[in-house]
Amino acid sequence: EMSFYGVGDREVIGDKAYRNYQMEDVLWEEGIRLSPLRTKKERRYEGEWVEYVKRVYRRFAESVFSVLRRFLGLRPYSVSLSGLFVKIYMAVISYNLHRLWSAGML
């Protein structure tokens, strides 16, 4: 089931700029769990290991999009959410095929 925000039942990890309890509660009602990085002083701090894992996943996602942007030379703009998914999916496939071709495996 998709929500108004187009994400569905997923967890979204954000950086410290997204620490707004009211927005988290509104998104929770839509089925989206906004999970920003937190400090120990916050009410909704989830523990050291959880925060560490969130940082690792966030850095990984940012690295992937950085590589795709360098490979494509532009940002993947789209009119619809499904169009954006298709562009990103095709960019990942083309990048992996390029890497295989460069390594002589194709």
Side-chain angles (χ1 to χ4, degrees):
E1 176 181 328
M2 294 291 278
S3 75
F4 172 76
Y5 300 99
V7 178
D9 295 328
R10 302 277 190 247
E11 180 176 0
V12 180
I13 298 173
D15 60 10
K16 295 176 186 175
Y18 297 102
R19 291 186 296 189
N20 182 333
Y21 295 140
Q22 184 178 6
M23 178 57 92
E24 284 182 49
D25 295 338
V26 169
L27 291 174
W28 184 268
E29 292 171 4
E30 288 289 324
I32 302 167
R33 181 168 182 242
L34 179 61
S35 185
L37 296 172
R38 301 186 192 281
T39 61
K40 290 182 181 181
K41 299 174 186 176
E42 294 185 62
R43 288 184 301 177
R44 296 183 182 181
Y45 181 69
E46 297 176 282
E48 185 176 339
W49 284 103
V50 175
E51 298 302 323
Y52 172 76
V53 170
K54 286 194 274 186
R55 276 193 300 276
V56 168
Y57 279 125
R58 186 171 162 268
R59 287 180 187 150
F60 177 74
E62 287 178 355
S63 297
V64 167
F65 282 109
S66 173
V67 167
L68 289 176
R69 183 171 179 204
R70 278 187 276 137
F71 180 71
L72 293 175
L74 54 100
R75 291 185 182 198
Y77 291 108
S78 179
V79 176
S80 67
L81 187 60
S82 60
L84 181 64
F85 287 148
V86 169
K87 283 187 174 187
I88 292 173
Y89 183 74
M90 294 306 294
V92 169
I93 289 175
S94 63
Y95 177 74
N96 287 327
L97 288 174
H98 172 72
R99 293 281 306 239
L100 287 171
W101 183 267
S102 298
M105 300 176 105
L106 281 180

